[in-house]
Amino acid sequence: MSERYEDGHVDGGAEQAAQVDPRTPRPGPRVARFVRGHAGKLVAGCGAVVMLAVLGVVAVQAEEVRPCWSDFHSLTDTEVFPDAFGVPQIGGTDNPAIRAALRDPLYREATRFTGDQAVGKPVWTVVAQGPLPVMSDEFGLLPARGGAAPRDLAMYEGRSGKRHWMRAAEGPLDTFMKNLRSLTFVPHKNGDTQVMGADARSGYAQWCQAVPVTPAVADPERDRGWVTGMTGNGGTVLMVGTAPGGRPDTSRVVQQDTVSGGIARRWDVPGRWTDVAADGRTVYLAAPGALAAFAPGAARPTWKAELPDTTGTVGFAAVTPDRILAGTRPADGGAGTLTAFDHGGRAVWTLRDADPDDVTVTGDTVLAHETRAGADGVAAYRLKDGTPLWFTAVPGLGRLADGGTDGTTLYLPGGSGLRVLRISDGHPVPSTLTVPVDRVFVTGQRIVVEHTASAKSAWSVAYSTPQAPADTSGSDGDPRSR
């Protein structure tokens, strides 16, 4: 059931009028001082576009911005975030973690693997002492977090495993790497939460700001209520929560610029909304019992629809050009519901007894972790209309979210090795790699398998995907120019 508002595109008020276009980044105060002091030195005739390009370079090369990051420092311990080694070249090292891995029969089996139709050959490996830092895939870069402490950070190159940088903060980090500006949330000593923008390739801190809202549901690991990925315009991220001193029945939506850290736009909307998403044209807000769409800056929604559960938690599973997927979970923690809406607010299909936090959308297919007749498995549905496509039993499947897909193949972790499914029909693809896997994801031309062998030894191995073109592991240029 949905309700349409004819006057949904309402002007956001005086505050909205004062905001800048979020696609137009503004230079910070350090850059502004540079312009005032050096304007006469710029080449005559440079246009505005050229000047902005120059300022972008200056912003990166200037002294690191550290107004609230005096506790942000470089790491030098290579055992926290070790360098990656080419698998054929790993022998003969004095690194104790690698020497311990070489004695691990599972590691030897994984690196002797020559590849098959499901998994390509091993290319590079990262070995560490103790629990391995958890990596993820972002734009062909692999942000790693955890190390020896929750405050440690590192960045690897997905193709070659090259470690670009390591950093550490005094407090534990809530989340890391939402885009190429490496948005990072860190609790501050004064009780505020700071958001840092760093260059993804260098770890260079470019700005730091206090979060201007208090999230209603602070769950950054699941990207709920705190910050989304990109808003769709490529320049800002979104947050929703209550404004300091704001009314309890009102939420504030904020678009934060990823270049300067400044607030590109903020506005208040009625209701206590707990999650936010966007597609570049529309902002979507969700809360237990309701989902709504807003024009950026508008105080009233263009439409509002009901969700099946009025208590518990709500989160966006995906926003695609055709559908908006919202997952709800009741307050008692039981089975949840996944509902697909069109962009007019009409509920198109509903998947009940599903775990909304264990759903993957790839292309025009929705993959869900389900239990049928006492057996764990993966179910596939057509994104457009929810038509069931197939169900494949995967005994002992932990979390679908711990697997990865390249768009045609689904790779799942398991105690006896990777479980590989063809997405088109759910048909298992046999693999002779039998090493236990904790987590697996796909990045570019690599399948990265993470495994914790023991309390003393852990490792990741990257394999080349079978459908990859000619191997270009030596090319680790900036992913923004690929």
Side-chain angles (χ1 to χ4, degrees):
M1 178 178 179
S2 63
E3 183 179 356
R4 189 83 187 175
Y5 291 81
E6 297 299 333
D7 59 343
H9 295 269
V10 178
D11 183 76
E15 183 180 19
Q16 163 63 17
Q19 303 303 323
V20 300
D21 188 331
R23 295 167 293 184
T24 307
R26 294 180 301 174
R30 189 182 306 276
V31 178
R33 289 195 296 270
F34 176 91
V35 174
R36 288 194 297 268
H38 298 77
K41 299 180 182 179
L42 294 176
V43 177
C46 286
V49 175
V50 176
M51 183 175 293
L52 284 176
V54 172
L55 294 180
V57 175
V58 171
V60 173
Q61 294 179 344
E63 181 183 354
E64 187 171 19
V65 178
R66 301 168 66 92
C68 55
W69 282 89
S70 59
D71 55 351
F72 200 67
H73 56 85
S74 298
L75 285 168
T76 57
D77 181 5
T78 58
E79 292 184 3
V80 174
F81 289 104
D83 290 307
F85 290 81
V87 170
Q89 303 170 350
I90 198 170
T93 179
D94 293 329
N95 186 298
I98 297 177
R99 293 172 62 185
L102 292 174
R103 295 191 295 269
D104 182 350
L106 295 176
Y107 178 81
R108 293 200 301 268
E109 179 184 350
T111 53
R112 281 201 304 261
F113 177 67
T114 57
D116 56 28
Q117 63 172 326
V119 182
K121 64 180 181 179
V123 180
W124 55 259
T125 184
V126 175
V127 179
Q129 290 179 313
L132 188 66
V134 175
M135 293 182 182
S136 59
D137 172 42
E138 298 277 351
F139 310 102
L141 291 172
L142 308 183
R145 186 179 57 126
R151 60 192 180 89
D152 296 334
L153 300 172
M155 186 70 69
Y156 289 88
E157 175 67 38
R159 296 189 182 189
S160 65
K162 173 186 175 181
R163 192 193 68 235
H164 290 292
W165 52 268
M166 300 184 295
R167 303 297 297 263
E170 188 171 309
L173 296 158
D174 281 333
T175 193
F176 177 52
M177 190 67 183
K178 288 297 180 184
N179 52 57
L180 284 171
R181 292 288 174 177
S182 293
L183 287 180
T184 305
F185 292 70
V186 177
H188 201 250
K189 295 177 181 178
N190 64 7
D192 293 334
T193 298
Q194 307 293 338
V195 187
M196 183 270 291
D199 184 82
R201 289 300 299 256
S202 66
Y204 188 93
Q206 294 174 309
W207 54 263
C208 183
Q209 303 286 345
V211 174
V213 298
T214 301
V217 179
D219 193 355
E221 284 300 317
R222 291 173 178 169
D223 197 14
R224 177 177 299 146
W226 191 264
V227 59
T228 70
M230 307 306 287
T231 62
N233 60 31
T236 59
V237 293
L238 278 165
M239 289 171 277
V240 67
T242 57
R247 295 185 300 175
D249 59 345
T250 300
S251 297
R252 175 160 292 179
V253 185
V254 175
Q255 287 181 274
Q256 187 161 28
D257 184 80
T258 61
V259 175
S260 67
I263 303 304
R265 175 182 282 140
R266 73 181 80 193
W267 72 98
D268 294 336
V269 297
R272 292 295 301 273
W273 302 97
T274 58
D275 198 15
V276 61
D279 59 9
R281 301 177 304 275
T282 304
V283 174
Y284 304 98
L285 298 179
L291 175 73
F294 292 80
R300 296 191 63 187
T302 55
W303 55 259
K304 186 176 181 181
E306 294 181 356
L307 288 175
D309 296 315
T310 58
T311 61
T313 59
V314 174
F316 288 100
V319 175
T320 75
D322 295 322
R323 295 291 178 260
I324 305 159
L325 269 61
T328 65
R329 184 187 296 279
D332 61 9
T337 300
L338 185 70
T339 305
F341 296 85
D342 62 21
H343 284 255
R346 181 178 65 92
V348 180
W349 55 266
T350 298
L351 178 62
R352 301 191 183 279
D353 298 327
D355 183 351
D357 294 324
D358 211 7
V359 170
T360 297
V361 178
T362 175
D364 58 357
T365 304
V366 179
L367 304 174
H369 181 186
E370 294 187 8
T371 301
R372 298 185 183 180
D376 285 321
V378 179
Y381 299 87
R382 186 180 294 136
L383 174 62
K384 183 177 180 179
D385 54 18
T387 299
L389 300 176
W390 50 261
F391 174 83
T392 299
V394 183
L397 175 62
R399 272 170 40 89
L400 177 64
D402 289 331
T405 174
D406 59 4
T408 61
T409 308
L410 175 65
Y411 300 88
L412 297 170
S416 58
L418 288 176
R419 277 80 66 83
V420 185
L421 303 180
R422 199 163 56 201
I423 294 176
S424 60
D425 55 12
H427 182 75
V429 182
S431 173
T432 55
L433 179 62
T434 58
V435 179
V437 173
D438 296 330
R439 187 170 173 269
V440 56
F441 60 90
V442 180
T443 171
Q445 297 177 331
R446 300 289 179 259
I447 304 166
V448 180
V449 171
E450 294 188 341
H451 176 70
T452 301
S454 67
K456 295 183 179 180
S457 178
W459 41 264
S460 289
V461 179
Y463 303 88
S464 60
T465 58
Q467 56 270 66
D471 185 22
T472 55
S473 59
S475 174
D476 58 355
D478 192 326
R480 286 165 288 190
S481 61
R482 288 177 188 163

